[in-house]
Amino acid sequence: MTPPATKVTPISGFPELLPAERLLELHFLDVVREVFELHGFAPLETRAVEPVERLLGKGGDADKEIYAISRLADEGGSGRDAELGLHFDLTVPFARYVLENAGRLAFPFRRYQVQKVWRGERPQEGRFREFTQADIDVVDVGELAPHFEAEMPLVIAEAFRRLPVGEFRIQVNNRQVPEGFYLGIGLEDVAGTLRIVDKLAKIGPEEVAALLVEAGASDEQARLCLALAAIRTEDLGFVSQVRALGVSHPTLDAGLEALSAVIAAGLEQAPGTLVADLSVARGLDYYTGTVYETQLLGSEVWGSVCSGGRYDSLASDGRTTYPGVGISIGLTRLVHLLVAKRGLTASRSTPAAVLVAVVDEESRGRSRAVATALRARGIPCEVAPSAAKFGRQIRYADRRGIPFVWFPGAGESGDQVKDIRSGEQVDADAATWTCPEVDLRPAVVTR
């Protein structure tokens, strides 16, 4: 008896792209990797799983997001595999990797990592359960020079300037600023206050104030917290604005000094790109210094597409601490939003720039030889799937966006190639013909 057909449906939060969109994503990956390597970051890949205990201990609210894993058939019945979980970011596994390999790494250690991560949160526009992140981090032994905190956003700025994302701003804060400020006004629960303020963009100032009061703050303390979060400058003016609030604390002083150094570096090397935004909190508990979030101008409703910060105690074996700073591009989130909201895609759904026509099946070998010669010279191509009429083969190429069709033996002394967009058809030799640079790879276009 034939089993009933099963309806195939998407799984929410696990995105899959069409070929042209995937080519767009690969373009983003290529650009990001190139920029990271230009800045000396070494490639790294870590395992997909970590002990759940480690994930729970390092991720703030991560216990609500972790996918635990277990084998379907655990012969021993020990259940030990259920102690593992899929990593929800790349920073926690990287910290573990540093601890395990510290004796074989040269410090300060610079790495980039492009990998899938998983979070069990509710899927919504631009937020997924499985997605790709592209991270850079620098870690050192014992002490980490503060100039690395300025370097992170500048590397991202260079990458974003090479990508078709439009204007963007990297919002920068330092966790010591709100920490010292909160302590200076008498709020001892710094982590709890930070988590509430981190909701500001989602729920607005009135709701945040109500939550602060509910958590034990006075109306005046809540007002001051919101006043601090409202400060945003493209220069060093934030320092005087904070001072005008009349709060003092040594931790606040240290945070303002560190944040000033980052913004000053941005003013020098990427004017108008870095913004001191004292509302940026970053909810994860392991951040201790500078924190970053990135927004695309005109699309601020999307939220941050690139974020990170400094962490001083995430990697420690009890004797030695390896402080670090990193920043992460939510690559899947960024690409999907650009595809859905701005209509970005690739100019064709295949890497092939040339379709080599087949005159008849008996001569397919000749067509394969042409394709081999073109590929040897770095020209992507494919051979027509069937020896149909040339009109059908041209339509096959057109549907895929392939700009050129090659006709073996069509000329008096050899082959010919046709630009199917202009209709121009000329004699050509696979050993010498040059594909126009603009057509060699799929381009980024707007639908």
Side-chain angles (χ1 to χ4, degrees):
M1 181 178 178
T2 304
T6 302
K7 184 179 180 181
V8 178
T9 57
I11 300 177
S12 179
F14 293 83
E16 294 176 324
L17 295 170
L18 293 172
E21 297 164 352
R22 174 59 174 162
L23 285 167
L24 173 70
E25 185 176 50
L26 288 175
H27 169 72
F28 275 60
L29 283 166
D30 289 342
V31 170
V32 166
R33 288 178 57 249
E34 180 182 3
V35 171
F36 289 173
E37 291 183 2
L38 282 172
H39 285 263
F41 291 91
L44 188 68
E45 180 171 298
T46 57
R47 66 199 185 203
V49 298
E50 297 291 333
V52 169
E53 181 180 5
R54 179 166 183 81
L55 294 174
L56 290 175
K58 302 295 182 179
D61 292 331
D63 56 315
K64 300 176 182 177
E65 302 179 348
I66 295 170
Y67 277 110
I69 67 168
S70 61
R71 290 181 295 172
L72 292 177
D74 185 356
E75 294 179 2
S78 64
R80 289 166 58 188
D81 284 333
E83 298 173 2
L84 300 178
L86 296 172
H87 55 225
F88 59 85
D89 74 355
L90 299 179
T91 306
V92 172
F94 172 58
R96 185 267 311 160
Y97 178 93
V98 169
L99 291 175
E100 289 186 3
N101 296 279
R104 294 178 287 179
L105 301 176
F107 292 95
F109 179 50
R110 305 165 65 87
R111 84 84 168 84
Y112 78 85
Q113 195 167 342
V114 181
Q115 223 172 313
K116 295 275 191 184
V117 299
W118 295 267
R119 295 182 185 175
E121 59 186 3
R122 182 175 65 85
Q124 51 188 298
E125 186 176 59
R127 294 192 177 276
F128 306 102
R129 291 171 171 170
E130 177 185 67
F131 53 98
T132 298
Q133 286 188 333
D135 286 23
I136 50 172
D137 285 80
V138 179
V139 296
D140 210 340
V141 181
E143 296 288 336
L144 180 73
H147 64 79
F148 290 118
E149 295 176 62
E151 181 183 4
M152 293 293 109
L154 295 176
V155 175
I156 295 301
E158 182 176 334
F160 272 37
R161 284 195 297 268
R162 296 187 183 201
L163 292 169
V165 299
E167 292 295 313
F168 61 93
R169 291 292 181 272
I170 301 177
Q171 301 157 294
V172 188
N173 196 4
N174 189 292
R175 289 285 283 264
Q176 290 182 302
V177 172
E179 178 182 349
F181 189 88
Y182 300 155
L183 292 173
I185 62 175
L187 291 176
E188 298 295 329
D189 184 9
V190 172
T193 305
L194 276 171
R195 279 194 291 270
I196 293 172
V197 173
D198 197 31
K199 303 175 187 286
L200 191 59
K202 295 180 180 179
I203 64 176
E206 291 184 5
E207 288 292 328
V208 167
L211 288 175
L212 288 171
V213 171
E214 184 180 325
S218 68
D219 290 339
E220 177 62 12
Q221 288 171 326
R223 184 191 70 79
L224 286 169
C225 288
L226 290 174
L228 179 72
I231 296 174
R232 187 179 189 274
T233 70
E234 296 186 3
D235 54 22
L236 300 178
F238 67 91
V239 177
S240 60
Q241 292 186 34
V242 173
R243 296 301 187 196
L245 295 176
V247 178
S248 61
H249 193 277
T251 302
L252 174 62
D253 296 339
L256 290 173
E257 181 180 356
L259 183 56
S260 295
V262 175
I263 297 300
L267 288 169
E268 178 183 341
Q269 298 185 41
T273 301
L274 272 60
V275 174
D277 188 333
L278 304 195
S279 70
V280 175
R282 303 297 302 145
L284 294 175
D285 290 343
Y286 54 66
Y287 291 126
T288 56
T290 305
V291 287
Y292 322 95
E293 289 189 349
T294 308
Q295 292 188 338
L296 304 187
L297 298 189
S299 301
E300 290 84 355
V301 68
W302 296 358
S304 179
V305 294
C306 176
S307 57
R310 175 168 179 147
Y311 45 91
D312 284 318
S313 56
L314 185 60
S316 176
D317 60 8
R319 299 184 305 276
T320 304
T321 298
Y322 302 87
V325 61
I327 194 165
S328 172
I329 302 172
L331 198 76
T332 301
R333 171 178 170 76
L334 178 60
V335 170
H336 274 258
L337 288 169
L338 290 171
V339 168
K341 299 300 185 181
R342 297 189 184 174
L344 261 63
T345 187
S347 57
R348 55 185 187 254
S349 61
T350 171
V354 179
L355 176 72
V356 182
V358 176
V359 177
D360 51 49
E361 289 303 329
E362 289 71 22
S363 64
R364 179 173 288 275
R366 179 173 181 175
S367 297
R368 282 199 295 263
V370 169
T372 299
L374 292 172
R375 291 170 186 146
R377 298 175 50 243
I379 301 173
C381 60
E382 64 174 286
V383 178
S386 66
K389 292 180 179 180
F390 283 162
R392 290 186 61 185
Q393 296 189 53
I394 291 172
R395 287 194 293 275
Y396 175 90
D398 184 52
R399 287 195 299 271
R400 287 155 181 77
I402 300 174
F404 296 98
V405 177
W406 193 283
F407 299 103
E412 291 184 3
S413 58
D415 302 346
Q416 290 191 331
V417 64
K418 180 174 184 174
D419 184 334
I420 65 173
R421 299 160 299 183
S422 67
E424 181 184 13
Q425 186 166 327
V426 297
D427 291 341
D429 185 336
T432 59
W433 180 76
T434 301
C435 179
E437 185 68 28
V438 69
D439 294 319
L440 195 58
R441 297 287 183 269
V444 175
V445 297
T446 302
R447 286 192 293 265

mmCIF file of all heavy atoms in Angstrom, residues 10-16 67 116-132 332 336:
data_model
loop_
_atom_site.group_PDB
_atom_site.id
_atom_site.type_symbol
_atom_site.label_atom_id
_atom_site.label_comp_id
_atom_site.label_asym_id
_atom_site.label_seq_id
_atom_site.Cartn_x
_atom_site.Cartn_y
_atom_site.Cartn_z
ATOM 1 N N PRO A 10 7.520 24.812 5.277
ATOM 2 C CA PRO A 10 8.718 25.401 5.889
ATOM 3 C C PRO A 10 8.682 25.270 7.405
ATOM 4 O O PRO A 10 7.615 25.166 8.011
ATOM 5 C CB PRO A 10 8.647 26.877 5.471
ATOM 6 C CG PRO A 10 7.654 26.940 4.354
ATOM 7 C CD PRO A 10 6.698 25.814 4.579
ATOM 8 N N ILE A 11 9.843 25.264 8.024
ATOM 9 C CA ILE A 11 9.954 25.289 9.478
ATOM 10 C C ILE A 11 10.270 26.722 9.876
ATOM 11 O O ILE A 11 11.277 27.285 9.451
ATOM 12 C CB ILE A 11 11.044 24.327 9.981
ATOM 13 C CG1 ILE A 11 10.726 22.886 9.561
ATOM 14 C CG2 ILE A 11 11.170 24.421 11.501
ATOM 15 C CD1 ILE A 11 11.787 21.890 9.966
ATOM 16 N N SER A 12 9.428 27.305 10.665
ATOM 17 C CA SER A 12 9.570 28.708 11.038
ATOM 18 C C SER A 12 10.915 28.966 11.723
ATOM 19 O O SER A 12 11.324 28.228 12.624
ATOM 20 C CB SER A 12 8.430 29.110 11.974
ATOM 21 O OG SER A 12 8.552 30.441 12.377
ATOM 22 N N GLY A 13 11.584 30.006 11.276
ATOM 23 C CA GLY A 13 12.835 30.415 11.901
ATOM 24 C C GLY A 13 14.075 29.797 11.303
ATOM 25 O O GLY A 13 15.189 30.110 11.730
ATOM 26 N N PHE A 14 13.905 28.925 10.307
ATOM 27 C CA PHE A 14 15.041 28.281 9.646
ATOM 28 C C PHE A 14 15.023 28.680 8.171
ATOM 29 O O PHE A 14 14.445 27.976 7.335
ATOM 30 C CB PHE A 14 14.973 26.764 9.816
ATOM 31 C CG PHE A 14 15.161 26.314 11.244
ATOM 32 C CD1 PHE A 14 14.092 26.315 12.131
ATOM 33 C CD2 PHE A 14 16.401 25.913 11.697
ATOM 34 C CE1 PHE A 14 14.262 25.923 13.453
ATOM 35 C CE2 PHE A 14 16.582 25.506 13.020
ATOM 36 C CZ PHE A 14 15.507 25.512 13.897
ATOM 37 N N PRO A 15 15.603 29.821 7.821
ATOM 38 C CA PRO A 15 15.442 30.382 6.479
ATOM 39 C C PRO A 15 16.220 29.625 5.414
ATOM 40 O O PRO A 15 17.289 29.060 5.673
ATOM 41 C CB PRO A 15 16.004 31.798 6.637
ATOM 42 C CG PRO A 15 17.024 31.665 7.727
ATOM 43 C CD PRO A 15 16.450 30.657 8.680
ATOM 44 N N GLU A 16 15.665 29.610 4.227
ATOM 45 C CA GLU A 16 16.329 29.045 3.050
ATOM 46 C C GLU A 16 16.164 30.038 1.894
ATOM 47 O O GLU A 16 15.056 30.503 1.627
ATOM 48 C CB GLU A 16 15.734 27.688 2.676
ATOM 49 C CG GLU A 16 15.982 26.626 3.728
ATOM 50 C CD GLU A 16 15.317 25.296 3.401
ATOM 51 O OE1 GLU A 16 14.208 25.325 2.832
ATOM 52 O OE2 GLU A 16 15.904 24.255 3.713
ATOM 53 N N TYR A 67 19.105 25.542 22.311
ATOM 54 C CA TYR A 67 18.604 24.254 21.835
ATOM 55 C C TYR A 67 19.479 23.158 22.442
ATOM 56 O O TYR A 67 20.664 23.041 22.117
ATOM 57 C CB TYR A 67 18.687 24.165 20.312
ATOM 58 C CG TYR A 67 17.525 24.806 19.585
ATOM 59 C CD1 TYR A 67 17.702 25.977 18.858
ATOM 60 C CD2 TYR A 67 16.269 24.229 19.604
ATOM 61 C CE1 TYR A 67 16.646 26.567 18.175
ATOM 62 C CE2 TYR A 67 15.203 24.809 18.940
ATOM 63 C CZ TYR A 67 15.396 25.976 18.219
ATOM 64 O OH TYR A 67 14.340 26.544 17.561
ATOM 65 N N LYS A 116 27.239 29.165 11.547
ATOM 66 C CA LYS A 116 25.839 29.118 11.967
ATOM 67 C C LYS A 116 25.746 29.149 13.492
ATOM 68 O O LYS A 116 26.596 28.597 14.197
ATOM 69 C CB LYS A 116 25.182 27.826 11.476
ATOM 70 C CG LYS A 116 25.073 27.696 9.966
ATOM 71 C CD LYS A 116 23.847 28.387 9.438
ATOM 72 C CE LYS A 116 23.603 28.019 7.979
ATOM 73 N NZ LYS A 116 22.459 28.763 7.416
ATOM 74 N N VAL A 117 24.688 29.803 13.984
ATOM 75 C CA VAL A 117 24.344 29.746 15.409
ATOM 76 C C VAL A 117 22.847 29.469 15.513
ATOM 77 O O VAL A 117 22.105 29.636 14.537
ATOM 78 C CB VAL A 117 24.715 31.046 16.142
ATOM 79 C CG1 VAL A 117 26.197 31.315 16.061
ATOM 80 C CG2 VAL A 117 23.940 32.230 15.580
ATOM 81 N N TRP A 118 22.409 29.080 16.714
ATOM 82 C CA TRP A 118 21.011 28.690 16.894
ATOM 83 C C TRP A 118 20.452 29.302 18.172
ATOM 84 O O TRP A 118 21.103 29.271 19.225
ATOM 85 C CB TRP A 118 20.893 27.162 16.978
ATOM 86 C CG TRP A 118 21.289 26.479 15.708
ATOM 87 C CD1 TRP A 118 20.486 26.103 14.668
ATOM 88 C CD2 TRP A 118 22.622 26.060 15.337
ATOM 89 N NE1 TRP A 118 21.214 25.503 13.678
ATOM 90 C CE2 TRP A 118 22.532 25.462 14.056
ATOM 91 C CE3 TRP A 118 23.871 26.150 15.950
ATOM 92 C CZ2 TRP A 118 23.635 24.949 13.392
ATOM 93 C CZ3 TRP A 118 24.978 25.650 15.286
ATOM 94 C CH2 TRP A 118 24.843 25.049 14.022
ATOM 95 N N ARG A 119 19.240 29.845 18.054
ATOM 96 C CA ARG A 119 18.554 30.402 19.220
ATOM 97 C C ARG A 119 17.094 29.988 19.176
ATOM 98 O O ARG A 119 16.441 30.128 18.143
ATOM 99 C CB ARG A 119 18.663 31.931 19.244
ATOM 100 C CG ARG A 119 20.085 32.422 19.433
ATOM 101 C CD ARG A 119 20.177 33.923 19.511
ATOM 102 N NE ARG A 119 21.577 34.347 19.572
ATOM 103 C CZ ARG A 119 21.983 35.601 19.547
ATOM 104 N NH1 ARG A 119 21.086 36.572 19.472
ATOM 105 N NH2 ARG A 119 23.267 35.890 19.603
ATOM 106 N N GLY A 120 16.593 29.539 20.303
ATOM 107 C CA GLY A 120 15.214 29.057 20.354
ATOM 108 C C GLY A 120 14.206 30.143 20.644
ATOM 109 O O GLY A 120 13.238 29.906 21.357
ATOM 110 N N GLU A 121 14.430 31.343 20.098
ATOM 111 C CA GLU A 121 13.493 32.427 20.350
ATOM 112 C C GLU A 121 12.357 32.421 19.334
ATOM 113 O O GLU A 121 12.400 31.698 18.336
ATOM 114 C CB GLU A 121 14.230 33.773 20.310
ATOM 115 C CG GLU A 121 14.930 34.074 18.990
ATOM 116 C CD GLU A 121 15.754 35.353 19.078
ATOM 117 O OE1 GLU A 121 15.824 35.966 20.152
ATOM 118 O OE2 GLU A 121 16.335 35.737 18.056
ATOM 119 N N ARG A 122 11.361 33.247 19.573
ATOM 120 C CA ARG A 122 10.202 33.304 18.682
ATOM 121 C C ARG A 122 10.604 33.949 17.362
ATOM 122 O O ARG A 122 11.071 35.081 17.344
ATOM 123 C CB ARG A 122 9.071 34.094 19.330
ATOM 124 C CG ARG A 122 7.803 34.168 18.480
ATOM 125 C CD ARG A 122 6.697 34.870 19.245
ATOM 126 N NE ARG A 122 7.022 36.263 19.518
ATOM 127 C CZ ARG A 122 6.798 37.265 18.659
ATOM 128 N NH1 ARG A 122 6.261 37.006 17.466
ATOM 129 N NH2 ARG A 122 7.102 38.509 18.980
ATOM 130 N N PRO A 123 10.439 33.253 16.235
ATOM 131 C CA PRO A 123 10.811 33.837 14.947
ATOM 132 C C PRO A 123 9.935 35.042 14.611
ATOM 133 O O PRO A 123 8.740 35.056 14.899
ATOM 134 C CB PRO A 123 10.568 32.696 13.954
ATOM 135 C CG PRO A 123 10.501 31.452 14.770
ATOM 136 C CD PRO A 123 9.951 31.869 16.100
ATOM 137 N N GLN A 124 10.549 36.031 14.021
ATOM 138 C CA GLN A 124 9.834 37.205 13.529
ATOM 139 C C GLN A 124 10.680 37.831 12.432
ATOM 140 O O GLN A 124 11.772 37.331 12.130
ATOM 141 C CB GLN A 124 9.573 38.200 14.664
ATOM 142 C CG GLN A 124 10.809 38.557 15.473
ATOM 143 C CD GLN A 124 10.478 39.374 16.689
ATOM 144 O OE1 GLN A 124 9.969 40.459 16.569
ATOM 145 N NE2 GLN A 124 10.771 38.843 17.880
ATOM 146 N N GLU A 125 10.190 38.888 11.839
ATOM 147 C CA GLU A 125 10.901 39.481 10.721
ATOM 148 C C GLU A 125 12.324 39.866 11.127
ATOM 149 O O GLU A 125 12.542 40.632 12.059
ATOM 150 C CB GLU A 125 10.159 40.719 10.225
ATOM 151 C CG GLU A 125 10.767 41.311 8.965
ATOM 152 C CD GLU A 125 9.960 42.488 8.445
ATOM 153 O OE1 GLU A 125 9.802 43.477 9.188
ATOM 154 O OE2 GLU A 125 9.473 42.412 7.308
ATOM 155 N N GLY A 126 13.281 39.312 10.397
ATOM 156 C CA GLY A 126 14.672 39.623 10.672
ATOM 157 C C GLY A 126 15.279 38.862 11.826
ATOM 158 O O GLY A 126 16.463 39.025 12.125
ATOM 159 N N ARG A 127 14.501 38.009 12.491
ATOM 160 C CA ARG A 127 15.023 37.199 13.598
ATOM 161 C C ARG A 127 14.719 35.731 13.341
ATOM 162 O O ARG A 127 13.577 35.376 13.046
ATOM 163 C CB ARG A 127 14.431 37.651 14.940
ATOM 164 C CG ARG A 127 14.861 39.048 15.344
ATOM 165 C CD ARG A 127 14.510 39.348 16.784
ATOM 166 N NE ARG A 127 14.992 40.657 17.191
ATOM 167 C CZ ARG A 127 16.221 40.920 17.624
ATOM 168 N NH1 ARG A 127 17.092 39.926 17.718
ATOM 169 N NH2 ARG A 127 16.586 42.149 17.971
ATOM 170 N N PHE A 128 15.748 34.913 13.483
ATOM 171 C CA PHE A 128 15.630 33.512 13.095
ATOM 172 C C PHE A 128 16.147 32.602 14.203
ATOM 173 O O PHE A 128 16.825 33.052 15.125
ATOM 174 C CB PHE A 128 16.418 33.258 11.807
ATOM 175 C CG PHE A 128 16.035 34.179 10.682
ATOM 176 C CD1 PHE A 128 16.831 35.272 10.345
ATOM 177 C CD2 PHE A 128 14.872 33.968 9.962
ATOM 178 C CE1 PHE A 128 16.475 36.127 9.322
ATOM 179 C CE2 PHE A 128 14.505 34.818 8.935
ATOM 180 C CZ PHE A 128 15.305 35.900 8.612
ATOM 181 N N ARG A 129 15.815 31.339 14.066
ATOM 182 C CA ARG A 129 16.317 30.340 15.015
ATOM 183 C C ARG A 129 17.648 29.755 14.561
ATOM 184 O O ARG A 129 18.412 29.244 15.382
ATOM 185 C CB ARG A 129 15.278 29.219 15.171
ATOM 186 C CG ARG A 129 14.018 29.681 15.899
ATOM 187 C CD ARG A 129 12.922 28.636 15.857
ATOM 188 N NE ARG A 129 11.805 29.009 16.722
ATOM 189 C CZ ARG A 129 10.634 28.386 16.738
ATOM 190 N NH1 ARG A 129 10.415 27.362 15.935
ATOM 191 N NH2 ARG A 129 9.679 28.784 17.546
ATOM 192 N N GLU A 130 17.902 29.808 13.272
ATOM 193 C CA GLU A 130 19.189 29.374 12.721
ATOM 194 C C GLU A 130 19.681 30.474 11.791
ATOM 195 O O GLU A 130 18.951 30.907 10.898
ATOM 196 C CB GLU A 130 19.035 28.067 11.944
ATOM 197 C CG GLU A 130 20.335 27.599 11.296
ATOM 198 C CD GLU A 130 20.119 26.358 10.437
ATOM 199 O OE1 GLU A 130 19.431 26.476 9.395
ATOM 200 O OE2 GLU A 130 20.635 25.296 10.796
ATOM 201 N N PHE A 131 20.894 30.946 12.019
ATOM 202 C CA PHE A 131 21.393 32.029 11.187
ATOM 203 C C PHE A 131 22.918 32.059 11.234
ATOM 204 O O PHE A 131 23.552 31.400 12.075
ATOM 205 C CB PHE A 131 20.814 33.377 11.625
ATOM 206 C CG PHE A 131 20.998 33.699 13.086
ATOM 207 C CD1 PHE A 131 22.039 34.508 13.509
ATOM 208 C CD2 PHE A 131 20.115 33.202 14.040
ATOM 209 C CE1 PHE A 131 22.208 34.811 14.850
ATOM 210 C CE2 PHE A 131 20.267 33.501 15.385
ATOM 211 C CZ PHE A 131 21.327 34.310 15.795
ATOM 212 N N THR A 132 23.507 32.823 10.321
ATOM 213 C CA THR A 132 24.957 32.926 10.213
ATOM 214 C C THR A 132 25.439 34.233 10.821
ATOM 215 O O THR A 132 24.873 35.293 10.563
ATOM 216 C CB THR A 132 25.395 32.853 8.744
ATOM 217 O OG1 THR A 132 25.007 31.591 8.197
ATOM 218 C CG2 THR A 132 26.898 33.008 8.611
ATOM 219 N N THR A 332 22.851 36.697 8.223
ATOM 220 C CA THR A 332 21.566 36.227 7.708
ATOM 221 C C THR A 332 20.499 37.294 7.896
ATOM 222 O O THR A 332 19.708 37.573 6.984
ATOM 223 C CB THR A 332 21.142 34.935 8.429
ATOM 224 O OG1 THR A 332 22.145 33.941 8.234
ATOM 225 C CG2 THR A 332 19.815 34.414 7.893
ATOM 226 N N HIS A 336 18.643 39.035 4.673
ATOM 227 C CA HIS A 336 17.199 38.831 4.514
ATOM 228 C C HIS A 336 16.437 40.152 4.545
ATOM 229 O O HIS A 336 15.486 40.338 3.782
ATOM 230 C CB HIS A 336 16.675 37.895 5.607
ATOM 231 C CG HIS A 336 16.790 36.448 5.259
ATOM 232 N ND1 HIS A 336 15.730 35.689 4.821
ATOM 233 C CD2 HIS A 336 17.865 35.615 5.238
ATOM 234 C CE1 HIS A 336 16.133 34.462 4.572
ATOM 235 N NE2 HIS A 336 17.424 34.394 4.821
#
